């Protein structure tokens, strides 16, 4: 079936649900992406720092799906921030992916400790957008205070901010800021994988509220969470390398949560982040060279 689309602030349409490949080893990435494309996914989210752009590109070539039917999203890593550096980062990504144009290109982190580099990197994204080499540009992991510094300095309002959002960590104030500025919220870890991978002791998959809602619809808790995001207007990019899980995550368009069920999921917010604090991501701690194509 065709996935519903979300319209970005520049009119570009993006499939609301895609496959993420964060932490997907290169040797299994091609197969996972091929499975997703065969299932009907038409949006793939990767990043320079994931080390699997080449394998994503290989899967797209093998899939038989026309390039203009697939929405390709990737991200520039902090080591490639700066105007010329980011233009080169784009070149590395498109060469690995084997495409000439990207559908969405993001800055992966705000890098507040070297914010001038972030601004120069975004100016490079604005150039790429103006030249037609990318169809939309955006950011990732920017918090409200970063947006306050950032937005007055840029010409093009980001189309997307990709952030951690799941029932246990909803970042409602940040989502409200997105809505005010016309920025789409894209949820990474949309089913709360970051919480159970890191051994927090609480798993969204076993939450009693989510289990009750899932039973009522004959669905899994993961499907309930994805449906919740979609009904609230967010983009979601669940990750998996398992064929059955890839199919399950796609099977979320044949049921609807009631207003009461949505409110029950909304009430699960703990305010506890699962991923790293964006301010902790510095060149010194996380900088690493992105290999050439």
């Amino acid at each position: 079936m065709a996935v519903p689309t979300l319209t970005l602030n520049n009119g570009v349409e993006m499939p609301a649900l895609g496959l993420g490949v964060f932490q997907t080893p290169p040797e299994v990435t091609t197969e996972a992406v091929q499975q997703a494309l065969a299932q009907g996914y038409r949006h793939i989210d990767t990043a320079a720092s994931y080390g699997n752009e080449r394998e994503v590109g290989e899967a797209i070539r093998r899939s038989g799906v026309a390039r203009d039917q697939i929405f390709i999203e990737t991200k520039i890593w902090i080591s490639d921030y700066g105007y010329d550096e980011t233009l080169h980062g784009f070149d590395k990504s498109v060469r690995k992916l084997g495409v000439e144009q990207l559908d969405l290109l993001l800055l992966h982190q705000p890098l507040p400790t070297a914010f001038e580099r972030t601004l120069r990197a975004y100016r490079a994204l604005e150039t790429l957008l103006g030249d037609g080499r990318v169809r939309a540009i955006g950011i990732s992991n920017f918090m409200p205070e970063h947006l306050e510094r950032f937005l007055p300095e840029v010409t093009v309002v980001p189309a997307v901010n990709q952030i951690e959002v799941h029932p246990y960590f909803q970042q409602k104030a940040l989502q409200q800021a997105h809505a005010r500025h016309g920025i789409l919220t894209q949820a990474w870890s949309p089913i709360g994988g970051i919480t159970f991978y890191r051994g927090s002791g609480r798993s969204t998959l076993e939450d009693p509220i989510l289990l009750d809602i899932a039973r009522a619809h004959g669905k899994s808790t993961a499907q309930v969470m994805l449906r919740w995001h979609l009904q609230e207007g967010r983009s979601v990019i669940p990750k998996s390398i398992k064929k059955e899980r890839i199919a399950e995550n796609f099977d979320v368009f044949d049921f609807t949560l009631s207003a009461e069920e949505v409110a029950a999921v909304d009430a699960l917010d703990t305010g506890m982040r699962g991923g790293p604090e964006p301010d902790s991501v510095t060149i010194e701690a996380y900088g690493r060279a992105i290999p050439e194509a």
Side-chain angles (χ1 to χ4, degrees):
M1 66 159 291
V3 177
T5 60
L6 297 164
T7 303
L8 303 180
N9 60 16
N10 66 348
V12 168
E13 291 195 355
M14 178 177 75
L17 183 146
L19 179 78
V21 294
F22 172 60
Q23 290 183 332
T24 302
E27 61 271 18
V28 297
T29 297
T30 299
E31 176 65 20
V33 174
Q34 281 189 271
Q35 292 285 355
L37 292 171
Q39 186 67 43
Y41 287 74
R42 291 296 180 265
H43 176 182
I44 308 297
D45 170 77
T46 183
S49 66
Y50 299 170
N52 55 20
E53 288 174 311
R54 201 181 308 278
E55 289 73 21
V56 167
E58 183 61 29
I60 289 169
R61 282 189 292 281
R62 290 183 190 177
S63 72
V65 179
R67 165 67 188 96
D68 64 3
Q69 298 299 304
I70 303 173
F71 192 97
I72 302 174
E73 173 180 2
T74 192
K75 309 173 198 75
I76 299 287
W77 187 239
I78 57 175
S79 306
D80 283 338
Y81 281 14
Y83 186 80
D84 291 335
E85 297 90 338
T86 296
L87 292 177
H88 184 58
F90 164 83
D91 287 338
K92 288 190 284 188
S93 286
V94 291
R95 287 194 199 113
K96 290 171 187 172
L97 287 160
V99 299
E100 294 183 359
Q101 183 191 55
L102 297 173
D103 297 289
L104 178 61
L105 181 60
L106 309 182
L107 298 185
H108 207 146
Q109 296 286 343
L111 195 63
T113 54
F115 209 61
E116 279 302 318
R117 286 180 66 171
T118 303
L119 292 173
R120 290 196 297 273
Y122 194 77
R123 289 187 189 111
L125 265 56
E126 292 177 329
T127 295
L128 293 165
L129 179 69
D131 290 349
R133 287 181 281 176
V134 300
R135 297 175 64 224
I137 59 176
I139 52 182
S140 181
N141 299 305
F142 277 55
M143 298 298 103
E145 62 274 20
H146 306 136
L147 287 178
E148 286 178 20
R149 290 178 68 186
F150 179 78
L151 290 173
E153 301 287 342
V154 303
T155 303
V156 177
V157 174
V160 166
N161 188 13
Q162 186 187 114
I163 58 171
E164 179 184 347
V165 185
H166 47 78
Y168 288 173
F169 188 61
Q170 297 178 30
Q171 306 212 69
K172 290 172 183 172
L174 179 53
Q175 290 197 60
Q176 289 163 2
H178 292 168
R180 287 195 300 273
H181 293 289
I183 300 168
L184 181 77
T185 300
Q186 186 174 65
W188 65 257
S189 191
I191 62 173
I194 194 78
T195 63
F196 41 90
Y197 298 147
R198 296 201 172 199
S200 69
R202 288 190 71 190
S203 168
T204 48
L205 295 179
E206 296 163 7
D207 186 276
I209 300 290
L210 296 173
L211 284 166
D212 282 347
I213 297 171
R215 278 191 286 268
H217 291 277
K219 293 289 184 176
S220 69
T221 48
Q223 289 170 317
V224 166
M225 286 183 270
L226 293 172
R227 186 70 208 168
W228 167 71
H229 285 290
L230 293 167
Q231 284 185 216
E232 295 200 331
R234 288 184 288 278
S235 163
V236 287
I237 43 169
K239 54 160 281 195
S240 184
I241 58 172
K242 297 176 181 173
K243 181 179 181 180
E244 62 276 10
R245 189 78 66 203
I246 289 169
E248 178 187 310
N249 289 343
F250 194 73
D251 185 21
V252 292
F253 301 109
D254 61 349
F255 73 108
T256 302
L257 303 178
S258 69
E260 293 76 17
E261 288 169 333
V262 169
V265 182
D266 286 345
L268 295 175
D269 194 7
T270 67
M272 290 185 61
R273 185 186 300 279
E277 286 287 344
D279 281 356
S280 73
V281 179
T282 63
I283 292 284
E284 294 73 24
Y286 288 89
R288 62 182 183 279
I290 300 299
E292 296 293 328

